[in-house]
Amino acid sequence: MSLSLTRGAQAALLVLAVAVITRLLGGQMAWLVGWPEALTVPMTEWVGAAVGSFLSVFKPIARFFSLLLSYPMTWIGALLGYAPWPLVLGGVTALGWMIGGLRLAALGFFGLGFVVLSGYWAESMNTLALVVVSVPLALVTGAAIGILAYEYPRLKGPVQALLDIMQTVPTFAYLTPLLVLFGFGPVVGLIASAIYAAPPMARNVLLGLERVEHEIREAAVMSGGTRRQQLFLVELPAATTQIMVGINQSLMAALSMVIIAAVIGGFDDIGWEVLLTMRKALFGQSFLAGLVIVVFAVVIDRMSGALALQRPAQDRRVAWAMLAAGLAVSGWALAAGWNPDGVAAFDGVADRVDDAVGRFTATNGAALDAVKNNAMFYGLLPLRIGLADAVLPFTWGFSWTAKHGAIFYGATAAIAGFLVWRGHLTAGLVIGVLAIMLETGISQLPWPVVIVGAGALGWVSGGWKLTRLVVILLGLILISGLWERALLSLYLSGASVVACAILGGALGLWGAVSETAWRVLRPVCDLLQTIPLFVFLIPVLMFFQIGEFSAFLAICLYAIVPMIRYTRHGLINTPEELIEAAQATGAGRWQTLFEVRAPYAAPTILLGLNQTILYAFAMLVIAALIGTTGLGQSIYLALGQADVGLGVTAGAAMAILALVADRLVQGFAEERRRALGL
């Protein structure tokens, strides 16, 4: 038997050696476990002072800009607020007809009809006013950035790096400096929404322009037009489909951010209503308000998404008739003194939901507690603080002793030895590293293990350049004093990603082998991807109350969809010639699936894992509202205290973790693509 020391084996051996050294010598050398306090840089204070000085200089300009934006928002808010709901309902139905025919017209009618019946019409119009003002600002800004990066290729790299940062910085982290800069009020939510929604537009404009066919560009040049005419009259129209995708994504991002911005507001919008009712434990009202947000998101998503598709022309007379019907009903309603602000037909339903939830939790409280406690004591807690601290008589029925540690490491050594004997040296070494991590706990891992481990992964996936980037970025977190909180965030997001990878991968596999299963899974995935982040907190709070397990479930609900979609997509898009070759050699269905389809789908599945990681980090900050620890809690506390230094540094640390994970997974996906010759 001969073992080749591959790059992966070398990296795993290095990490295992560092882990063993820190485990054995950590008791005598405290600096191997925790970064010395004397070497910690007061990054929060420095950043707070620097950003505070910057904000103080630009605050007058920002306040003036805020004043200017308040006018269109006030006007549009008044227009939507005073417009009779039958007129708005007729207008949305007519718009749906023009975009997508009867199907979208029905969606608009029944969707807005639900909002009317919910009794949250006024709050919904306030939310819609924020979206209506913020989205054009985001679209213009994003389109300008995309065009600039396209016209000046030297700027493409920096622009893409800036967009990466904008999309990895947690949503709450935007709000703290904006709150100081622009002052309290709905304009802060509007600007935060525009900033958050601009990157999708920029990316899609750049992608659309790059995909314009060369023949079209040549025809524009041959026509003798100026560069501006070529861009605006030929290339941008040719990229319309991709740009419409960007508009759809920007709309959804803006709606999601507007809801989150309610945390600092209380401007009587639907997001504030959700937050207020959740705080009062009025889950029926909270669920109803959350459904209103979901309905808005579905209607906006489907209608804006249809703009990117080829569609037949619709009869304009039907649209005018729908609008006229809304106008006529509005006139009759106003003349009759009928409630112009909605019907509030579900008030009793919300109360009954509260009663039903109360009865259900009272009846099944023991079962719900058992699910939560078992998940915490046998899963999350050992991952966080390690088996040596988590295994107690209260939790596992016995205490962890040196004997148990010896048995644990002995079993690990046996498994690792078997894998090495079978020729899987890298897998055996990785088992050893994982065993030390599990026995120690992620939140208590010595800093050299994390730094060296991440650097080693970077070396395997992307070479020395990625290694330097990873080590430098994590080193900044280490010296900033946020290391312990970063590890807590890494623990919870990591546990959620593992759960999503296992369950989402299994569901994606199920959807790939069964069309019936995919017909069930697809609408569920569509719905989960449409729901704004905020709303995921409601169902978990209903049944499991505030706590780490509820946060874990909320993150999983939000982050699992990419894993399902990309796994299925990768498995069903294997080239037919590969499948035919496997079948010709006598391979069965499952053998073909795992030995042909799965390896070919690996880059796509890794891309889904990458998206799941980014989704998990995004949701982690929102989950701070229901009792998580770590960087998300720091960002939320900084928002409440208007602590710009803590908000910016904690947000930057969270963005660094997400960016490092993103680059590592992308590196492995690229390596797999090269191996497959793609």
Side-chain angles (χ1 to χ4, degrees):
M1 180 189 66
S2 63
L3 294 175
S4 58
L5 210 58
T6 63
R7 175 177 284 201
Q10 294 175 42
L13 185 60
L14 174 63
V15 178
L16 181 60
V18 172
V20 171
I21 291 171
T22 55
R23 188 72 181 88
L24 294 176
L25 302 180
Q28 293 77 31
M29 302 178 182
W31 61 271
L32 277 176
V33 178
W35 182 255
E37 188 70 27
L39 298 179
T40 299
V41 175
M43 195 82 72
T44 299
E45 289 77 8
W46 290 359
V47 170
V51 175
S53 301
F54 173 82
L55 295 181
S56 64
V57 172
F58 289 95
K59 186 181 293 185
I61 301 173
R63 295 297 169 92
F64 178 71
F65 185 62
S66 175
L67 179 64
L68 291 180
L69 285 178
S70 67
Y71 288 112
M73 197 171 69
T74 302
W75 296 335
I76 293 175
L79 177 64
L80 291 172
Y82 288 113
W85 63 261
L87 180 60
V88 178
L89 183 62
V92 171
T93 306
L95 179 63
W97 169 264
M98 292 302 299
I99 294 174
L102 182 60
R103 185 176 179 181
L104 283 186
L107 176 65
F109 178 80
F110 289 109
L112 268 289
F114 174 80
V115 176
V116 172
L117 295 175
S118 71
Y120 287 120
W121 181 259
E123 293 84 355
S124 300
M125 291 302 101
N126 289 336
T127 298
L128 189 59
L130 285 170
V131 174
V132 168
V133 179
S134 65
V135 167
L137 190 62
L139 295 181
V140 171
T141 305
I145 293 172
I147 291 172
L148 188 68
Y150 174 71
E151 288 294 291
Y152 301 95
R154 289 183 179 180
L155 296 178
K156 181 179 176 181
V159 164
Q160 288 186 326
L162 176 63
L163 296 178
D164 287 342
I165 293 171
M166 291 175 69
Q167 287 193 300
T168 51
V169 170
T171 48
F172 274 1
Y174 284 108
L175 299 179
T176 307
L178 291 177
L179 182 63
V180 175
L181 194 59
F182 292 96
F184 179 83
V187 173
V188 179
L190 186 155
I191 295 171
S193 176
I195 293 173
Y196 189 64
M201 186 63 183
R203 289 188 186 280
N204 281 279
V205 168
L206 178 59
L207 181 62
L209 289 172
E210 289 178 337
R211 287 184 174 179
V212 173
E213 295 180 5
H214 185 65
E215 294 79 8
I216 295 177
R217 293 198 189 95
E218 286 186 343
V221 173
M222 294 297 292
S223 67
T226 64
R227 178 60 198 141
R228 183 180 299 178
Q229 289 173 327
Q230 294 170 26
L231 177 66
F232 287 98
L233 299 181
V234 178
E235 294 180 18
L236 281 172
T240 298
T241 300
Q242 193 66 46
I243 292 172
M244 289 300 176
V245 173
I247 292 174
N248 170 256
Q249 293 179 358
S250 292
L251 276 165
M252 299 307 295
L255 178 62
S256 179
M257 190 65 183
V258 162
I259 301 303
I260 292 167
V263 173
I264 62 167
F267 358 103
D268 198 26
D269 65 347
I270 196 67
W272 177 249
E273 190 65 31
V274 171
L275 182 63
L276 193 63
T277 50
M278 278 201 308
R279 285 174 174 172
K280 294 179 179 178
L282 299 174
F283 293 120
Q285 288 296 119
S286 181
F287 186 68
L288 180 59
L291 283 179
V292 171
I293 296 174
V294 172
V295 167
F296 257 112
V298 170
V299 172
I300 291 173
D301 177 57
R302 296 297 183 270
M303 287 192 176
S304 60
L307 293 174
L309 304 174
Q310 294 289 336
R311 56 190 186 279
Q314 304 296 334
D315 191 341
R316 294 178 180 270
R317 293 173 296 178
V318 176
W320 283 112
M322 292 174 176
L323 190 59
L327 185 61
V329 174
S330 298
W332 172 79
L334 292 174
W338 195 24
N339 179 15
D341 294 326
V343 180
F346 294 137
D347 284 350
V349 175
D351 294 335
R352 287 196 291 273
V353 169
D354 270 331
D355 293 339
V357 170
R359 288 195 302 271
F360 180 84
T361 53
T363 305
N364 301 281
L368 294 174
D369 286 342
V371 170
K372 179 168 66 175
N373 292 335
N374 285 329
M376 284 297 302
F377 294 149
Y378 299 109
L380 295 177
L381 195 61
L383 283 176
R384 184 173 68 180
I385 62 176
L387 288 170
D389 290 335
V391 176
L392 300 169
F394 173 68
T395 55
W396 288 53
F398 62 92
S399 294
W400 188 269
T401 63
K403 180 181 178 181
H404 294 112
I407 294 172
F408 175 74
Y409 282 117
T412 299
I415 296 172
F418 176 75
L419 290 172
V420 171
W421 177 69
R422 296 288 295 176
H424 304 292
L425 175 60
T426 304
L429 294 171
V430 169
I431 288 293
V433 174
L434 293 177
I436 293 176
M437 290 177 60
L438 182 59
E439 201 263 345
T440 304
I442 295 175
S443 67
Q444 300 180 151
L445 277 176
W447 62 266
V449 176
V450 180
I451 298 286
V452 173
L457 284 174
W459 181 59
V460 173
S461 67
W464 288 112
K465 184 178 179 180
L466 183 56
T467 298
R468 287 193 298 271
L469 176 67
V470 168
V471 171
I472 290 171
L473 290 178
L474 292 181
L476 289 175
I477 300 178
L478 179 65
I479 65 174
S480 69
L482 296 173
W483 186 254
E484 292 181 5
R485 282 174 273 188
L487 289 185
L488 286 170
S489 298
L490 189 64
Y491 135 72
L492 188 55
S493 57
S496 304
V497 167
V498 169
C500 289
I502 295 172
L503 181 58
L507 291 174
L509 172 62
W510 187 34
V513 300
S514 170
E515 280 299 320
T516 303
W518 182 238
R519 281 196 291 269
V520 175
L521 289 171
R522 183 176 180 178
V524 175
C525 290
D526 289 343
L527 180 62
L528 289 176
Q529 278 199 307
T530 307
I531 297 174
L533 288 76
F534 213 65
V535 182
F536 284 96
L537 303 182
I538 300 172
V540 296
L541 282 178
M542 279 183 169
F543 301 108
F544 296 103
Q545 290 78 48
I546 289 175
E548 204 166 80
F549 181 66
S550 296
F552 169 78
L553 289 181
I555 295 170
C556 289
L557 283 172
Y558 180 66
I560 195 172
V561 175
M563 201 65 211
I564 298 173
R565 287 190 181 280
Y566 281 88
T567 299
R568 178 186 178 273
H569 180 75
L571 290 174
I572 66 172
N573 282 283
T574 307
E576 286 297 326
E577 55 269 22
L578 291 180
I579 299 174
E580 290 173 0
Q583 292 173 344
T585 61
R589 181 185 182 188
W590 293 104
Q591 193 175 8
T592 302
L593 180 66
F594 288 106
E595 296 183 11
V596 179
R597 289 183 183 269
Y600 189 86
T604 305
I605 295 173
L606 284 171
L607 182 58
L609 178 64
N610 178 51
Q611 292 295 304
T612 293
I613 291 170
L614 295 179
Y615 277 37
F617 276 109
M619 190 65 193
L620 186 62
V621 184
I622 309 301
L625 291 168
I626 57 174
T628 64
T629 54
L631 293 172
Q633 185 186 53
S634 298
I635 295 170
Y636 181 57
L637 291 175
L639 182 60
Q641 300 164 3
D643 187 341
V644 178
L646 179 59
V648 172
T649 51
M654 184 78 84
I656 285 173
L657 292 179
L659 191 63
V660 166
D662 173 64
R663 291 296 183 265
L664 290 176
V665 175
Q666 281 192 22
F668 281 111
E670 183 61 32
E671 187 273 333
R672 287 303 306 155
R673 280 192 289 268
R674 286 196 301 269
L676 293 169
L678 299 176

